[in-house]
Amino acid sequence: MSLATNLAVIQYRIREACKRAGRSPESVLLLAVSKTHPPQAVEEAVVGGQIFFGESKVQEAKQKIPLCPGAARWHFIGHLQSNKVRDAAILFEMIESVDSPALAREISKRCQQAARTMPILLQVNVAGESSKFGCSPERLPDYVTQIATLPAIEIHGLMTLPPYAPDPEKSRRYFRRLRELKGRCEEIIGAPLAHLSMGMSDDFEIAIEEGATIVRVGTALFGRRIRSSPPAPEN
Ligand SMILES: *Cc1c(COP(=O)(O)O)cnc(C)c1O
């Protein structure tokens, strides 16, 4: 199937999931995960009306983004090393994968130098898997408290990557858990948080039913990744 068809099908499935959940379709942002795919694929998606794209490696994004249409807007969704933060602060309009106060401090410092503020999501390792990045649910309150005081960072919500399961229904409890954790963070900050980034190609409809405001879809839109790579750890 063509990319335009894939995009239309995903948009339709998002609308239907929103209907089931009694939500407005505008409350869900589709993040097209373009990692490993060339600028031509991004351009095709932009022509089809797609605006937001996700990349998980700074090096790849640094080469790709300048070759993509200027209308494309970029979120970082991978593991971020502190020596890549300076580039990330210029390339991305949101970093979804902040998982420690140390990384947040580095982002804040680099963004101050670049005279900007970075909206971020805190990545939570909801299942406590040792192989995954993300902060543990237990540490989250302390991390939120620390990060909320940084000058050039705004916490906009939480992101998660649940354990892989062949049955997408199995992800539901982790999505629910992330939503509950967002509630706790809102109490700590004393303000609502806009975003829950959860759900990928295989389980985005379930994530929407559980409150996702950003779904990160790669394979269902662009097809199989050119270098086949599982979502998180290698990033
Ligand atoms: C690759 C990736 C995705 C997209 O996964 P698909 O299963 O291809 O839709 C989503 N989120 C993160 C963090 C990723 O690294």
Side-chain angles (χ1 to χ4, degrees), residues 31-35 37 54-56 76-79 96-97 123 159-161 164 197 199-204 215-225 229-235:
L31 188 76
V33 179
S34 50
K35 64 187 185 200
H37 296 287
E55 286 287 330
S56 62
F76 188 73
I77 60 171
H79 180 62
E96 296 198 10
S97 44
Q123 182 175 355
M159 182 270 245
T160 199
L161 236 159
Y164 174 76
S197 175
M200 315 197 298
S201 289
D202 292 334
D203 54 16
F204 68 87
V215 292
R216 309 179 308 267
V217 178
T219 311
L221 181 60
F222 293 107
R224 301 266 298 266
R225 279 184 276 285
S229 56
E234 91 292 4
N235 297 328

Short mmCIF file of all heavy atoms in Angstrom, two decimals, residues 31-35 37 54-56 76-79 96-97 123 159-161 164 197 199-204 215-225 229-235, ligand 1:
data_model
loop_
_atom_site.label_atom_id
_atom_site.label_comp_id
_atom_site.label_asym_id
_atom_site.label_seq_id
_atom_site.Cartn_x
_atom_site.Cartn_y
_atom_site.Cartn_z
N LEU A 31 2.26 11.29 15.67
CA LEU A 31 3.69 11.51 15.45
C LEU A 31 4.19 10.41 14.51
O LEU A 31 4.17 9.23 14.88
CB LEU A 31 4.45 11.46 16.78
CG LEU A 31 5.92 11.88 16.70
CD1 LEU A 31 6.05 13.40 16.58
CD2 LEU A 31 6.70 11.40 17.91
N ALA A 32 4.60 10.79 13.33
CA ALA A 32 5.07 9.82 12.34
C ALA A 32 6.54 9.51 12.61
O ALA A 32 7.40 10.39 12.50
CB ALA A 32 4.90 10.40 10.93
N VAL A 33 6.83 8.29 13.01
CA VAL A 33 8.20 7.92 13.39
C VAL A 33 8.98 7.52 12.14
O VAL A 33 8.79 6.44 11.59
CB VAL A 33 8.20 6.80 14.44
CG1 VAL A 33 9.63 6.42 14.81
CG2 VAL A 33 7.44 7.26 15.69
N SER A 34 9.85 8.43 11.72
CA SER A 34 10.52 8.27 10.41
C SER A 34 11.92 7.68 10.51
O SER A 34 12.65 7.63 9.52
CB SER A 34 10.56 9.64 9.72
OG SER A 34 11.08 10.63 10.59
N LYS A 35 12.32 7.23 11.71
CA LYS A 35 13.68 6.68 11.88
C LYS A 35 13.97 5.60 10.84
O LYS A 35 13.09 4.78 10.55
CB LYS A 35 13.86 6.13 13.30
CG LYS A 35 12.96 4.97 13.62
CD LYS A 35 13.07 4.60 15.09
CE LYS A 35 12.26 3.35 15.37
NZ LYS A 35 11.92 3.19 16.78
N HIS A 37 14.04 5.84 7.77
CA HIS A 37 13.44 6.14 6.47
C HIS A 37 14.01 7.43 5.90
O HIS A 37 14.32 8.36 6.65
CB HIS A 37 11.92 6.20 6.59
CG HIS A 37 11.32 4.89 7.00
ND1 HIS A 37 11.21 3.82 6.15
CD2 HIS A 37 10.84 4.47 8.19
CE1 HIS A 37 10.68 2.79 6.79
NE2 HIS A 37 10.45 3.15 8.04
N GLY A 54 8.87 11.92 14.33
CA GLY A 54 9.70 11.53 15.45
C GLY A 54 10.97 10.84 14.98
O GLY A 54 10.94 10.02 14.07
N GLU A 55 12.08 11.19 15.62
CA GLU A 55 13.36 10.54 15.35
C GLU A 55 13.95 10.09 16.68
O GLU A 55 13.77 10.75 17.71
CB GLU A 55 14.33 11.50 14.66
CG GLU A 55 13.99 11.77 13.19
CD GLU A 55 14.32 10.58 12.27
OE1 GLU A 55 15.27 9.82 12.58
OE2 GLU A 55 13.62 10.41 11.25
N SER A 56 14.73 8.99 16.65
CA SER A 56 15.26 8.47 17.90
C SER A 56 16.79 8.53 17.98
O SER A 56 17.36 8.09 18.97
CB SER A 56 14.78 7.03 18.12
OG SER A 56 15.24 6.22 17.07
N PHE A 76 11.97 14.48 19.49
CA PHE A 76 12.98 13.46 19.76
C PHE A 76 12.37 12.40 20.69
O PHE A 76 11.78 12.73 21.71
CB PHE A 76 14.23 14.06 20.38
CG PHE A 76 15.35 13.06 20.48
CD1 PHE A 76 16.03 12.66 19.34
CD2 PHE A 76 15.68 12.48 21.69
CE1 PHE A 76 17.04 11.70 19.41
CE2 PHE A 76 16.69 11.53 21.78
CZ PHE A 76 17.37 11.15 20.63
N ILE A 77 12.54 11.11 20.33
CA ILE A 77 11.90 10.05 21.11
C ILE A 77 12.87 8.95 21.55
O ILE A 77 12.45 7.93 22.08
CB ILE A 77 10.74 9.39 20.30
CG1 ILE A 77 11.26 8.78 18.99
CG2 ILE A 77 9.64 10.41 20.01
CD1 ILE A 77 10.21 7.93 18.26
N GLY A 78 14.18 9.15 21.34
CA GLY A 78 15.14 8.09 21.67
C GLY A 78 15.94 8.40 22.92
O GLY A 78 15.74 9.41 23.60
N HIS A 79 16.88 7.52 23.20
CA HIS A 79 17.75 7.74 24.35
C HIS A 79 18.72 8.87 24.02
O HIS A 79 19.41 8.82 23.01
CB HIS A 79 18.52 6.46 24.68
CG HIS A 79 19.42 6.62 25.86
ND1 HIS A 79 18.94 6.94 27.11
CD2 HIS A 79 20.76 6.54 25.96
CE1 HIS A 79 19.96 7.03 27.94
NE2 HIS A 79 21.08 6.80 27.28
N GLU A 96 10.80 13.98 24.02
CA GLU A 96 9.81 13.15 24.71
C GLU A 96 10.44 12.14 25.66
O GLU A 96 9.73 11.41 26.34
CB GLU A 96 8.95 12.38 23.69
CG GLU A 96 8.10 13.25 22.79
CD GLU A 96 6.97 12.44 22.11
OE1 GLU A 96 6.75 11.28 22.50
OE2 GLU A 96 6.34 13.00 21.20
N SER A 97 11.78 12.09 25.66
CA SER A 97 12.43 10.96 26.32
C SER A 97 13.40 11.38 27.42
O SER A 97 14.48 10.83 27.54
CB SER A 97 13.16 10.15 25.25
OG SER A 97 13.85 11.02 24.35
N GLN A 123 10.07 10.29 30.31
CA GLN A 123 9.86 8.89 29.90
C GLN A 123 9.84 8.00 31.13
O GLN A 123 10.77 8.01 31.93
CB GLN A 123 10.96 8.44 28.94
CG GLN A 123 10.75 7.00 28.46
CD GLN A 123 11.76 6.55 27.42
OE1 GLN A 123 12.59 7.34 26.96
NE2 GLN A 123 11.69 5.29 27.05
N MET A 159 5.76 10.05 28.81
CA MET A 159 5.86 9.15 27.65
C MET A 159 6.22 7.76 28.15
O MET A 159 6.93 7.63 29.16
CB MET A 159 6.94 9.68 26.72
CG MET A 159 7.13 8.89 25.44
SD MET A 159 8.34 7.55 25.57
CE MET A 159 9.59 8.13 24.44
N THR A 160 5.73 6.73 27.48
CA THR A 160 6.17 5.38 27.82
C THR A 160 6.21 4.47 26.61
O THR A 160 5.59 4.73 25.58
CB THR A 160 5.31 4.73 28.92
OG1 THR A 160 6.04 3.64 29.50
CG2 THR A 160 3.99 4.19 28.37
N LEU A 161 6.95 3.41 26.77
CA LEU A 161 7.10 2.33 25.80
C LEU A 161 6.87 1.06 26.59
O LEU A 161 7.76 0.62 27.30
CB LEU A 161 8.56 2.36 25.35
CG LEU A 161 8.97 2.48 23.92
CD1 LEU A 161 10.38 2.99 23.86
CD2 LEU A 161 8.85 1.17 23.23
N TYR A 164 7.08 -5.26 25.04
CA TYR A 164 6.48 -5.81 23.84
C TYR A 164 5.60 -7.00 24.17
O TYR A 164 5.98 -7.87 24.94
CB TYR A 164 7.56 -6.25 22.82
CG TYR A 164 6.90 -6.94 21.66
CD1 TYR A 164 6.24 -6.17 20.69
CD2 TYR A 164 6.85 -8.32 21.56
CE1 TYR A 164 5.57 -6.79 19.64
CE2 TYR A 164 6.18 -8.94 20.52
CZ TYR A 164 5.54 -8.17 19.57
OH TYR A 164 4.86 -8.78 18.55
N SER A 197 2.19 10.53 25.87
CA SER A 197 2.67 9.96 24.62
C SER A 197 2.79 8.46 24.81
O SER A 197 3.68 7.97 25.49
CB SER A 197 4.02 10.57 24.24
OG SER A 197 4.55 9.94 23.09
N GLY A 199 1.50 4.45 22.82
CA GLY A 199 0.86 3.75 21.71
C GLY A 199 1.72 3.84 20.47
O GLY A 199 2.20 4.92 20.12
N MET A 200 1.95 2.70 19.81
CA MET A 200 2.73 2.62 18.58
C MET A 200 1.89 1.86 17.53
O MET A 200 0.69 1.70 17.72
CB MET A 200 4.06 1.94 18.85
CG MET A 200 4.73 2.45 20.13
SD MET A 200 6.49 2.08 20.29
CE MET A 200 6.49 0.32 20.32
N SER A 201 2.53 1.40 16.47
CA SER A 201 1.78 0.78 15.37
C SER A 201 0.79 -0.29 15.83
O SER A 201 -0.33 -0.36 15.34
CB SER A 201 2.74 0.17 14.36
OG SER A 201 3.40 1.19 13.65
N ASP A 202 1.20 -1.12 16.79
CA ASP A 202 0.37 -2.27 17.14
C ASP A 202 -0.68 -1.99 18.20
O ASP A 202 -1.59 -2.80 18.40
CB ASP A 202 1.26 -3.42 17.67
CG ASP A 202 2.13 -3.99 16.56
OD1 ASP A 202 1.72 -3.88 15.39
OD2 ASP A 202 3.21 -4.52 16.87
N ASP A 203 -0.54 -0.88 18.91
CA ASP A 203 -1.45 -0.71 20.04
C ASP A 203 -1.94 0.73 20.23
O ASP A 203 -2.41 1.10 21.30
CB ASP A 203 -0.78 -1.22 21.33
CG ASP A 203 0.58 -0.58 21.58
OD1 ASP A 203 0.87 0.47 20.95
OD2 ASP A 203 1.34 -1.11 22.41
N PHE A 204 -1.87 1.55 19.16
CA PHE A 204 -2.22 2.97 19.37
C PHE A 204 -3.70 3.18 19.66
O PHE A 204 -4.07 4.12 20.34
CB PHE A 204 -1.74 3.85 18.20
CG PHE A 204 -2.41 3.64 16.88
CD1 PHE A 204 -3.58 4.32 16.56
CD2 PHE A 204 -1.87 2.78 15.93
CE1 PHE A 204 -4.20 4.14 15.33
CE2 PHE A 204 -2.48 2.59 14.69
CZ PHE A 204 -3.66 3.27 14.40
N VAL A 215 0.33 9.66 19.69
CA VAL A 215 0.65 8.28 19.35
C VAL A 215 1.82 8.29 18.38
O VAL A 215 1.88 9.11 17.48
CB VAL A 215 -0.57 7.51 18.76
CG1 VAL A 215 -1.63 7.29 19.83
CG2 VAL A 215 -1.18 8.24 17.56
N ARG A 216 2.78 7.40 18.61
CA ARG A 216 4.02 7.40 17.83
C ARG A 216 4.01 6.20 16.88
O ARG A 216 4.21 5.07 17.31
CB ARG A 216 5.22 7.30 18.78
CG ARG A 216 5.21 8.35 19.92
CD ARG A 216 6.43 8.17 20.82
NE ARG A 216 6.59 6.80 21.28
CZ ARG A 216 6.11 6.33 22.42
NH1 ARG A 216 5.46 7.11 23.25
NH2 ARG A 216 6.30 5.06 22.75
N VAL A 217 3.74 6.47 15.62
CA VAL A 217 3.51 5.38 14.66
C VAL A 217 4.58 5.37 13.57
O VAL A 217 4.73 6.36 12.84
CB VAL A 217 2.10 5.49 14.06
CG1 VAL A 217 1.87 4.39 13.02
CG2 VAL A 217 1.03 5.44 15.15
N GLY A 218 5.31 4.28 13.49
CA GLY A 218 6.34 4.15 12.47
C GLY A 218 5.95 3.14 11.40
O GLY A 218 5.54 3.49 10.29
N THR A 219 6.05 1.87 11.75
CA THR A 219 5.87 0.78 10.79
C THR A 219 4.52 0.83 10.04
O THR A 219 4.49 0.62 8.82
CB THR A 219 5.98 -0.58 11.52
OG1 THR A 219 7.16 -0.54 12.33
CG2 THR A 219 6.08 -1.72 10.55
N ALA A 220 3.44 1.12 10.73
CA ALA A 220 2.12 1.12 10.07
C ALA A 220 2.02 2.22 9.02
O ALA A 220 1.20 2.14 8.11
CB ALA A 220 1.01 1.28 11.11
N LEU A 221 2.87 3.23 9.13
CA LEU A 221 2.85 4.32 8.16
C LEU A 221 3.90 4.14 7.06
O LEU A 221 3.58 4.20 5.87
CB LEU A 221 3.09 5.64 8.90
CG LEU A 221 3.09 6.91 8.04
CD1 LEU A 221 1.76 7.09 7.33
CD2 LEU A 221 3.39 8.13 8.91
N PHE A 222 5.15 3.91 7.48
CA PHE A 222 6.26 3.89 6.52
C PHE A 222 6.63 2.48 6.05
O PHE A 222 7.48 2.31 5.19
CB PHE A 222 7.51 4.53 7.14
CG PHE A 222 7.37 6.00 7.40
CD1 PHE A 222 7.23 6.49 8.70
CD2 PHE A 222 7.37 6.91 6.35
CE1 PHE A 222 7.12 7.85 8.94
CE2 PHE A 222 7.26 8.27 6.59
CZ PHE A 222 7.13 8.75 7.88
N GLY A 223 6.04 1.47 6.64
CA GLY A 223 6.44 0.09 6.36
C GLY A 223 7.59 -0.34 7.26
O GLY A 223 8.00 0.42 8.15
N ARG A 224 8.09 -1.54 7.01
CA ARG A 224 9.17 -2.07 7.85
C ARG A 224 10.38 -1.15 7.79
O ARG A 224 10.69 -0.59 6.75
CB ARG A 224 9.59 -3.46 7.35
CG ARG A 224 8.47 -4.49 7.35
CD ARG A 224 8.44 -5.32 8.62
NE ARG A 224 9.65 -6.10 8.80
CZ ARG A 224 9.78 -7.36 8.40
NH1 ARG A 224 8.81 -7.97 7.76
NH2 ARG A 224 10.89 -8.02 8.66
N ARG A 225 11.07 -1.04 8.93
CA ARG A 225 12.27 -0.22 8.97
C ARG A 225 13.38 -0.84 8.15
O ARG A 225 13.50 -2.06 8.08
CB ARG A 225 12.73 0.01 10.41
CG ARG A 225 11.95 1.11 11.07
CD ARG A 225 12.45 1.40 12.45
NE ARG A 225 11.90 0.52 13.47
CZ ARG A 225 10.66 0.59 13.94
NH1 ARG A 225 9.83 1.49 13.47
NH2 ARG A 225 10.25 -0.23 14.86
N SER A 229 15.08 -2.65 13.64
CA SER A 229 15.55 -2.37 14.99
C SER A 229 14.37 -2.30 15.93
O SER A 229 13.38 -1.63 15.66
CB SER A 229 16.32 -1.04 15.01
OG SER A 229 15.50 -0.01 14.51
N PRO A 230 14.43 -2.98 17.06
CA PRO A 230 13.35 -2.88 18.03
C PRO A 230 13.34 -1.48 18.62
O PRO A 230 14.37 -0.81 18.58
CB PRO A 230 13.73 -3.92 19.09
CG PRO A 230 15.20 -4.10 18.95
CD PRO A 230 15.54 -3.79 17.52
N PRO A 231 12.21 -1.01 19.11
CA PRO A 231 12.04 0.38 19.51
C PRO A 231 13.09 0.96 20.46
O PRO A 231 13.78 1.88 20.09
CB PRO A 231 10.67 0.41 20.17
CG PRO A 231 9.95 -0.76 19.61
CD PRO A 231 11.00 -1.77 19.23
N ALA A 232 13.25 0.46 21.64
CA ALA A 232 13.99 1.26 22.61
C ALA A 232 15.50 1.02 22.77
O ALA A 232 16.28 1.86 22.39
CB ALA A 232 13.32 1.21 23.95
N PRO A 233 15.92 -0.11 23.30
CA PRO A 233 17.22 -0.16 23.96
C PRO A 233 18.42 0.29 23.13
O PRO A 233 19.31 0.92 23.65
CB PRO A 233 17.38 -1.63 24.33
CG PRO A 233 15.97 -2.15 24.40
CD PRO A 233 15.25 -1.39 23.33
N GLU A 234 18.43 0.00 21.84
CA GLU A 234 19.63 0.29 21.05
C GLU A 234 19.77 1.78 20.76
O GLU A 234 20.80 2.19 20.26
CB GLU A 234 19.63 -0.53 19.77
CG GLU A 234 18.98 0.11 18.56
CD GLU A 234 17.46 0.28 18.67
OE1 GLU A 234 16.89 -0.04 19.75
OE2 GLU A 234 16.85 0.74 17.73
N ASN A 235 18.75 2.56 21.04
CA ASN A 235 18.82 3.98 20.72
C ASN A 235 19.85 4.69 21.57
O ASN A 235 20.05 5.84 21.50
CB ASN A 235 17.47 4.65 20.89
CG ASN A 235 16.46 4.06 19.93
OD1 ASN A 235 16.81 3.64 18.82
ND2 ASN A 235 15.22 3.99 20.36
C1 LIG B 1 10.48 3.17 16.74
C2 LIG B 1 9.67 3.78 17.81
C3 LIG B 1 8.26 3.90 17.68
C4 LIG B 1 7.49 3.40 16.47
O1 LIG B 1 7.31 2.01 16.53
P1 LIG B 1 6.40 1.25 15.45
O2 LIG B 1 6.10 -0.04 16.11
O3 LIG B 1 7.23 1.11 14.22
O4 LIG B 1 5.19 2.06 15.21
C5 LIG B 1 7.58 4.53 18.72
N1 LIG B 1 8.21 5.00 19.81
C6 LIG B 1 9.54 4.90 19.97
C7 LIG B 1 10.17 5.43 21.21
C8 LIG B 1 10.30 4.28 18.98
O5 LIG B 1 11.64 4.18 19.17
#
